C-alpha cells in the first residue's frame, strides 16, 4: 500500500498555458531579470498537502491541477489516503492574480478524495493512489495542466490533458519506460456549483502507444497565435523532445495530427526512437511550462534542468513552436526545501497577471518540500519575476 512516506514525485513534469498569441515579429530576445524577484506567498488549500501543481485559466478563475495529495487533518498532519491527482480553484483579483489572504493565495474545490484524473480498471483503481497489491503503483500524474481548446458561447470550457500511464516501483523506477499515454477531457460548466471541479473523462487510455509513439502533449503544450492549432511536446525515455500539431477542434481525432520530423511536418507518426524528431534546446531537459509572451512576441519555455531537485529556473525562447530555440539560460534560484527532494516541478504560470498594460512579468511556482518534526510538508511558493 501507499504510505505517506511514498508521497513522492517524479521530477520530469511540464505544464502549459493557452495564452492568446500574436504572430512573432521580434528577431531576438535576451531575457534579463529586472530587479529582484519577489516571493509573494504560497498558493495553498490548507486542507490538502500536495505537490506539482500547474495552472490553467478557466472561466475567469485559475484551475490548479496537482499530483499526489493527502488530506491534512485538524492536527495539521497529512493523513491517508494518497490521491494521485487533485485540482483546485483560485479566484482572481482585478490584476489577474490570485486573491490574497494574509500570506496565502487560497485554493478551494471539492475533490471528494477522488483522483481528478480518474484511474482506470487496469490501474489498480480500488484505491485513490493507484497502488497495487504487489507494491507497484500506477502513478497517473499529470505533467501538464489542462490545455484549454475551446470556450463556448455559454461559457462551457473544453480542455485536454495527456498523461503517461506510468507503472512504477516503490523506488520510483519506471517498469515500462515508454508506457501508453492516456488522453483525458476536462469540461467546465459555468452552471456547476462554485466549488465543483470540472468533469474529467477518459477519451482513450492508449491514445499514444507504448514503445511506439512519442507521448505528445504529456511534456508540454500551447495553443497557437490565432487560436487555431494545438502544439504538443512529448519526451520519450531517451530524452528526445518531439512536437506534434493538431487543429484545436480535432484533439480527439488522431488522423488530424501532423508530426515534426527532419524539419518539416508529416501526417505519419514517427517512431518513438526516430533520430530526426528532436527539437533542439526546446527546454533545459526537465519539467516546465510553454507559453507565448505578448511583450516578447516569442514562444517561451521556463522550467528546470533534466534531473534536478533544486529551484533553479531556466528560460529559452523561440519565434515559433518548432524553433529555433535559444540556448536555455538560468535566470533565478528560489529557496530549496530541506527534504531530500527539496524542490521540483518548476513552473511558469502565464495564466496569472495577464500581461496587462504592457506588463512583462512572469509568475513562477515550484514544489518546496520541507521536513518539519519528521514529517514531509509540500508547499507551493508564488514568485513574481519582472523582465527588463
Ligand atoms: C524504442 O526504443 C526502446 C528502448 O530501446 C524500445 O523498447 C522500443 O521497442 C523502441 N521502439 C521502436 C518503435 O523502435
Ligand atoms: C531530411 O531533410 C533534408 C533537407 O530537407 C533532406 O535532404 C533529407 O533527404 C531528409 N531526410 C530524410 C530521411 O527524409
Ligand atoms: C542547441 O542544441 C544543439 C543540439 O543539442 C546543441 O548542439 C547546441 O549547442 C544548442 N545550442 C545552443 C545555443 O545551446
Ligand atoms: C526545514 O524547514 C522547515 C521549514 O522552514 C523548518 O520548520 C524545519 O525546522 C527545517 N528542518 C531542518 C532540519 O532544518
Amino acid at each position: 500500500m501507499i504510505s505517506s512516506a511514498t508521497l513522492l514525485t517524479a521530477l520530469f513534469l511540464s505544464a502549459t498555458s493557452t495564452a492568446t498569441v500574436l504572430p512573432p515579429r521580434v528577431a531576438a530576445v535576451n531575457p534579463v531579470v529586472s530587479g529582484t524577484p519577489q516571493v509573494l506567498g504560497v498558493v495553498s488549500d490548507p486542507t490538502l498537502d500536495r505537490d506539482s501543481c500547474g495552472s490553467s485559466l478557466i472561466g475567469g478563475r485559475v484551475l490548479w491541477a496537482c499530483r499526489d495529495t493527502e488530506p491534512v487533518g485538524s492536527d495539521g498532519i497529512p493523513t491517508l489516503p494518497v490521491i494521485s491527482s487533485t485540482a483546485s480553484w483560485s479566484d482572481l483579483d482585478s490584476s489577474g492574480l490570485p486573491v490574497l489572504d494574509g500570506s496565502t493565495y487560497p485554493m478551494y474545490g471539492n475533490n471528494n478524495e477522488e483522483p481528478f484524473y480518474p484511474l482506470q480498471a487496469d490501474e489498480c483503481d480500488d484505491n485513490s493512489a493507484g497502488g497495487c497489491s504487489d507494491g507497484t503503483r500506477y502513478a497517473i500524474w499529470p505533467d501538464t495542466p489542462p490545455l484549454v481548446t475551446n470556450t463556448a458561447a455559454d461559457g462551457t470550457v473544453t480542455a485536454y490533458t495527456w498523461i503517461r500511464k506510468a507503472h512504477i516501483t516503490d523506488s520510483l523506477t519506471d517498469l515500462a519506460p515508454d508506457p501508453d499515454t492516456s488522453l483525458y477531457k476536462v469540461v467546465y460548466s459555468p452552471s456547476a456549483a462554485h466549488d465543483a471541479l470540472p468533469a474529467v473523462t477518459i477519451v482513450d487510455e492508449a491514445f499514444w502507444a507504448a514503445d511506439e509513439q512519442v507521448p505528445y502533449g504529456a511534456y508540454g503544450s500551447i495553443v497557437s497565435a490565432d487560436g487555431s492549432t494545438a502544439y504538443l511536446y512529448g519526451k520519450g525515455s531517451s530524452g528526445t523532445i518531439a512536437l506534434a500539431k493538431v487543429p484545436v477542434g480535432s484533439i480527439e481525432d488522431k488522423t488530424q495530427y501532423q508530426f515534426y520530423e527532419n524539419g518539416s511536418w508529416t501526417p505519419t507518426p514517427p517512431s518513438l526512437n526516430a533520430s530526426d524528431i528532436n527539437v533542439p534546446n526546446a527546454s533545459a531537459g526537465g519539467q516546465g511550462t510553454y507559453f507565448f509572451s505578448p511583450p516578447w512576441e516569442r514562444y517561451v519555455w521556463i522550467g528546470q534542468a533534466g534531473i534536478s531537485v533544486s529551484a533553479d529556473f531556466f528560460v529559452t525562447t523561440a519565434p515559433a513552436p518548432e524553433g529555433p530555440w535559444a540556448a536555455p539560460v538560468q535566470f533565478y534560484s528560489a529557496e530549496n526545501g530541506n527534504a531530500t527532494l527539496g524542490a521540483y516541478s518548476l513552473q511558469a504560470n502565464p495564466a496569472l497577471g495577464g500581461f496587462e498594460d504592457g506588463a512583462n512579468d512572469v509568475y513562477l511556482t515550484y514544489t518546496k518540500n520541507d521536513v518539519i518534526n519528521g514529517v514531509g510538508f509540500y508547499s507551493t511558493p508564488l514568485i513574481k519575476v519582472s523582465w527588463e
Side-chain angles (χ1 to χ4, degrees):
M1 260 322 287
I2 300 299
S3 69
S4 301
T6 57
L7 181 60
L8 294 171
T9 298
L11 309 173
F12 309 102
L13 313 184
S14 174
T16 62
S17 90
T18 55
T20 305
V21 290
L22 302 166
R25 291 193 295 272
V26 180
V29 158
N30 185 21
V32 175
V33 173
S34 170
T36 305
Q38 292 170 260
V39 180
L40 301 176
V42 294
V43 187
S44 174
D45 178 333
T47 69
L48 299 175
D49 186 44
R50 59 186 175 184
D51 72 2
S52 304
C53 299
S55 59
S56 305
L57 190 60
I58 292 182
R61 292 184 281 173
V62 162
L63 183 78
W64 302 92
C66 311
R67 305 192 359 165
D68 275 353
T69 304
E70 287 185 312
V72 174
S74 52
D75 56 0
I77 305 293
T79 59
L80 293 174
V82 171
I83 310 160
S84 57
S85 61
T86 55
S88 292
W89 297 106
S90 287
D91 294 331
L92 298 179
D93 66 19
S94 57
S95 324
L97 290 178
V99 171
L100 182 61
D101 180 7
S103 63
T104 298
Y105 295 87
M107 302 165 154
Y108 62 91
N110 192 353
N111 281 282
N112 296 311
E113 295 195 0
E114 292 292 332
F116 182 64
Y117 295 104
L119 301 175
Q120 303 302 301
D122 62 350
E123 293 170 345
C124 299
D125 68 339
D126 64 348
N127 62 91
S128 58
C132 308
S133 53
D134 63 359
T136 66
R137 181 179 180 198
Y138 282 94
I140 306 305
W141 285 333
D143 292 357
T144 62
L147 178 70
V148 174
T149 56
N150 187 55
T151 301
D154 71 354
T156 300
V157 176
T158 303
Y160 291 93
T161 308
W162 288 260
I163 301 180
R164 293 171 64 257
K165 192 176 151 172
H167 189 194
I168 62 172
T169 66
D170 57 6
S171 57
L172 296 181
T173 307
D174 267 313
L175 288 162
D178 293 291
D180 287 337
T181 300
S182 306
L183 175 60
Y184 294 84
K185 183 177 192 174
V186 176
V187 177
Y188 162 73
S189 168
S191 60
H194 192 62
D195 68 350
L197 300 172
V200 184
T201 52
I202 193 150
V203 174
D204 187 342
E205 195 178 347
F207 191 81
W208 305 120
D211 298 326
E212 308 249 326
Q213 291 173 320
V214 175
Y216 293 106
Y219 185 68
S221 52
I222 190 167
V223 169
S224 65
D226 57 4
S228 68
T229 309
Y231 286 87
L232 308 170
Y233 296 88
K235 181 176 154 190
S237 63
S238 67
T240 294
I241 294 173
L243 181 62
K245 67 176 180 179
V246 64
V248 288
S250 302
I251 297 283
E252 299 177 32
D253 182 355
K254 265 185 275 193
T255 69
Q256 297 302 305
Y257 281 72
Q258 293 195 64
F259 305 89
Y260 198 62
E261 182 167 23
N262 191 30
S264 61
W265 293 100
T266 166
T268 310
S271 164
L272 173 67
N273 302 327
S275 61
D276 55 359
I277 57 174
N278 189 50
V279 181
N281 308 313
S283 79
Q287 177 180 4
T289 309
Y290 290 95
F291 63 101
F292 186 81
S293 163
W296 283 343
E297 298 182 343
R298 304 289 277 199
Y299 291 88
V300 181
W301 176 90
I302 286 176
Q304 69 189 47
I307 296 180
S308 166
V309 286
S310 298
D312 298 331
F313 286 84
F314 290 78
V315 60
T316 177
T317 64
E322 54 268 56
W325 290 89
V329 292
Q330 189 180 331
F331 65 93
Y332 175 61
S333 291
E335 188 187 352
N336 295 324
N338 57 28
T340 309
L341 304 181
Y344 55 92
S345 294
L346 277 54
Q347 307 277 344
N349 297 280
L352 303 182
F355 300 105
E356 301 290 328
D357 302 323
N360 193 1
D361 307 319
V362 67
Y363 295 85
L364 308 176
T365 51
Y366 65 104
T367 295
K368 182 168 179 279
N369 187 7
D370 289 299
V371 177
I372 304 173
N373 297 328
V375 179
F377 286 89
Y378 299 80
S379 62
T380 306
L382 178 67
I383 298 151
K384 177 180 182 179
V385 174
S386 299
W387 303 103
E388 284 186 353

